[in-house]
Amino acid sequence: MTLKKKYNILLVDDDTFLLGMYASKFGKIGMNVEIAGNAQEAFAKLKDGFKPDIMLLDVIMPGIDGLEFYEKVKKDNLTPDTIVIMLTNQGGSVDIERAQKLNVAGYIVKATTIPSEVVEEVLKIVELNKK
């Protein structure tokens, strides 16, 4: 699988194993990958000028969760053109509804999706949401 465009992707998750694995998977298909282990690190990258085309956010993280993080990012207009996808183990309707209210482009549950399927799903969501 080769990409027509070299996307910038920001992965935000407190699980360092998963961050490394997904960084490798997305890097292998030609994406420029930045990782953050929590919302504060992600804010720092955005404020330092990293402009992701795609942002994958976990819901459950220490401090503020992925949805709260995205609310703040939207309020500050830090990533107006970024395609935001939740990548989480939180498959409950409350979290999905919160994500839908924030207009996230996709919601992938880690526990039911193998890593190669996550990559495929992200690429499908990106194709559907390209501006």
Side-chain angles (χ1 to χ4, degrees):
M1 174 182 325
T2 53
L3 299 173
K4 296 177 190 112
K5 176 186 174 194
K6 187 172 180 102
Y7 292 101
N8 289 327
I9 185 168
L10 177 59
L11 307 173
V12 186
D13 195 318
D14 61 326
D15 184 321
T16 54
F17 172 77
L18 288 179
L19 272 181
M21 183 194 52
Y22 283 118
S24 173
K25 290 262 181 212
F26 285 107
K28 280 184 182 155
I29 63 166
M31 290 194 183
N32 177 34
V33 182
E34 288 283 330
I35 61 171
N38 57 49
Q40 290 75 16
E41 282 180 35
F43 273 127
K45 288 183 183 292
L46 296 175
K47 289 180 176 168
D48 284 346
F50 183 67
K51 298 283 183 231
D53 299 298
I54 306 159
M55 204 161 36
L56 288 184
L57 303 175
D58 188 12
V59 173
I60 303 296
M61 292 188 291
I64 66 172
D65 72 29
L67 291 165
E68 289 173 275
F69 165 74
Y70 185 47
E71 282 177 37
K72 290 181 189 318
V73 166
K74 277 182 78 134
K75 194 177 97 193
D76 295 345
N77 204 31
L78 290 173
T79 60
D81 300 322
T82 299
I83 297 167
V84 177
I85 301 167
M86 303 311 295
L87 177 61
T88 183
N89 278 322
Q90 298 306 112
S93 59
V94 171
D95 291 310
I96 293 170
E97 285 169 21
R98 280 178 66 204
Q100 287 171 337
K101 284 181 184 156
L102 291 170
N103 294 320
V104 299
Y107 199 102
I108 302 169
V109 178
K110 289 186 257 191
T112 60
T113 317
I114 62 171
S116 59
E117 291 172 339
V118 168
V119 172
E120 287 173 25
E121 189 65 23
V122 166
L123 293 175
K124 281 183 203 162
I125 292 167
V126 168
E127 280 301 308
L128 291 171
N129 289 278
K130 276 197 300 197
K131 295 181 169 134

